[in-house]
Amino acid sequence: MAGSDHQALEVSARPVEGSRSTRRLRKQVLVPGVVYGGGDDPLTFAVDALTLRATLAHAGAVLDLKVDGGSVTPVIVKDVQNHPVRGEAIHLDLLRVDMNQPIHAVVVLDLQGGDESPGVSEGGVLSQETRELNIEALPDDIPDSIIHDVSGLEMNETLTLSAVTVPDGVTLLDDPEETVIATITPPTQEPVDDEIETETELVGEDGEPLEGEELEAAQAEAEAQAEGATGDEAESSSDDDS
C-alpha cells in the first residue's frame, strides 16, 4: 500500500490544559487528542468531530496526520474513548510509526459461512470465542480484519487459532493451539418435568387398599421418608396425631 493511499487527518495543535478546556472543546464539536511515540515529544491536538468520524470510517490501519497544515506523519490509532451513552468519540490517542519497522496491533477476526456449516444446519449453536487477534506486522501490512471460513464446522467441533490463515507479512502473537476461536454445540434441551402427577392407592400386606387410621399412618410414613425421616419417626408422628 503506498503512502498516498492513507487517509489524511488534519488536526490543530492545542496547549496542554485541564478538564475545563476539554469540556469547552467538546462544546465546539471538537475532539481532543494526543499523538506520541516515534522519538518525539507528545503533542496534544483537537480535531473536528465530524471529520474524525468520516476519516476513521474509511481509514485503514495507518493515517497520515497533518498538524496545522504541516508535514505528514504516519500514525496508527491506539485508542478511541467514546461517550458511554451517546457513543461519539470524546478522546483520541495516536501513535507515530516507522513504516519500515513492524509493530504490534489488534485486528478483528471475521468468521464467515457459519449459517452454512453442517453443525448449524443440524441445529447446533455457533459461538465465536475470540473476536480480536494480536498480530505483528509492518504498518502497511496490518489488515482491516482477518477473515476465516467456518462453513465446514461440524457439530461439537472446536476451532483453534492454528486453523486460521493470515495474510503475508502478518504474524499471529496468540497461542495457536490454546486460543479457541469458535465452537459448535448442540442446542440446549428443555428440562424434562419429572413431577408427573399420578393417582395411586396405598395397599396393605394383603393387597387391599388401606383405609382410615392405617391409611393415615402409611401416608405419614411415606411423607417422613421423603423428607429423610426414619420409620420410627414416622410412626411416632402418626401416634401423636391420633
Side-chain angles (χ1 to χ4, degrees):
M1 183 186 300
S4 60
D5 291 335
H6 301 157
Q7 284 284 325
L9 181 63
E10 298 194 13
V11 303
S12 300
R14 66 176 181 87
V16 178
E17 296 176 330
S19 58
R20 180 177 299 178
S21 173
T22 299
R23 288 194 296 268
R24 185 166 59 248
L25 285 173
R26 291 171 183 155
K27 288 181 179 179
Q28 299 171 9
V29 199
L30 296 173
V31 179
V34 59
V35 57
Y36 53 91
D40 293 330
D41 293 333
L43 173 69
T44 53
F45 61 82
V47 57
D48 179 80
L50 296 179
T51 298
L52 176 62
R53 184 189 307 171
T55 301
L56 294 182
H58 299 92
V62 180
L63 297 171
D64 283 341
L65 181 69
K66 294 181 69 174
V67 181
D68 294 327
S71 59
V72 169
T73 301
V75 298
I76 62 171
V77 176
K78 288 299 291 182
D79 185 51
V80 179
Q81 297 178 28
N82 297 305
H83 191 281
V85 177
R86 297 189 297 271
E88 74 266 19
I90 59 176
H91 194 274
L92 176 67
D93 285 7
L94 300 176
L95 176 67
R96 303 182 186 97
V97 294
D98 182 341
M99 301 303 294
N100 298 314
Q101 294 295 324
I103 60 173
H104 291 183
V106 177
V107 297
V108 173
L109 175 63
D110 183 8
L111 300 183
Q112 298 185 352
D115 291 341
E116 291 77 42
S117 66
V120 172
S121 297
E122 295 169 8
V125 178
L126 173 64
S127 299
Q128 183 170 352
E129 307 296 336
T130 300
R131 299 184 180 275
E132 294 181 330
L133 300 177
N134 297 292
I135 68 166
E136 181 180 76
L138 292 173
D140 266 340
D141 288 338
I142 299 174
D144 294 334
S145 64
I146 292 177
I147 299 174
H148 185 74
D149 182 12
V150 294
S151 61
L153 283 185
E154 303 281 351
M155 185 74 77
N156 293 315
E157 188 171 355
T158 297
L159 176 71
T160 63
L161 184 58
S162 60
V164 176
T165 301
V166 297
D168 292 340
V170 175
T171 300
L172 293 169
L173 300 179
D174 301 301
D175 190 311
E177 301 298 335
E178 297 295 330
T179 304
V180 175
I181 299 303
T183 60
I184 292 189
T185 56
T188 303
Q189 296 182 346
E190 294 294 329
V192 178
D193 188 1
D194 292 330
E195 297 180 1
I196 301 176
E197 294 185 359
T198 58
E199 293 185 1
T200 59
E201 289 184 318
L202 295 176
V203 297
E205 294 181 358
D206 57 1
E208 294 296 323
L210 297 178
E211 296 179 353
E213 293 183 359
E214 291 182 343
L215 175 60
E216 292 177 2
Q219 288 174 335
E221 182 177 0
E223 291 175 0
Q225 289 178 347
E227 296 175 357
T230 64
D232 292 340
E233 290 172 335
E235 292 180 4
S236 174
S237 174
S238 176
D239 293 339
D240 291 342
D241 291 341
S242 61

